[in-house]
Amino acid sequence: MKRSPILLLALVVSPGPLSARENSVAIGVQLGFTTSGVVADVGLGDLYLQAGINYPLGITYIASTTDSSEKFFDIYTFNADISQAFALSDSFDLKIGVGTTAFTNFGPVLTGFAGPVVKGEYWIPDKKTGIFQ
């Protein structure tokens, strides 16, 4: 079965919706290369803490293009970041901070990476929906 590189690109750059930012807690979904799943974003004053429980769809996609008999990995990802939002307009914030992603199969091995986080957050005017990247 031939796979389209468009799907891989969509997993890397696609945004996910969050629920209303009127509250300090937003719950939603994220779709990404290593992190596709549920995410929560909690406002802590000027800082925001985001945590997610995910499955690595991008890595699974790459595995499905090989001749391997294993099409789905027994691995899950957890991500967390802390960032500060800078309002660039009434409905757009730029968040800058640090984050980490951990890979686990709930066994004795845990691996991951950490680094800078830069993402945009757009809230649709007069709606309780936003899109972040």
Side-chain angles (χ1 to χ4, degrees), residues 50 80-83 95-100 115-119 133:
Q50 179 181 326
D81 67 57
I82 190 158
S83 59
K95 287 185 171 180
I96 299 173
V98 295
T100 185
V117 172
V118 178
K119 56 187 171 185
Q133 182 63 39

Side-chain angles (χ1 to χ4, degrees), residues 2-87:
K2 205 166 200 182
R3 303 285 179 176
S4 168
I6 305 264
L7 175 63
L8 183 59
L9 182 63
L11 287 174
V12 173
V13 298
S14 65
L18 286 174
S19 63
R21 182 48 89 189
E22 292 175 4
N23 301 319
S24 62
V25 177
I27 306 291
V29 296
Q30 60 187 2
L31 181 63
F33 191 78
T34 61
T35 54
S36 297
V38 179
V39 64
D41 192 63
V42 179
L44 305 170
D46 290 342
L47 298 177
Y48 289 88
L49 174 65
Q50 179 181 326
I53 301 171
N54 311 281
Y55 185 78
L57 286 178
I59 295 171
T60 301
Y61 169 77
I62 290 172
S64 71
T65 62
T66 66
D67 292 333
S68 171
S69 62
E70 185 68 32
K71 297 299 182 190
F72 288 97
F73 289 112
D74 184 24
I75 190 167
Y76 300 91
T77 58
F78 296 91
N79 70 300
D81 67 57
I82 190 158
S83 59
Q84 182 169 2
F86 298 95

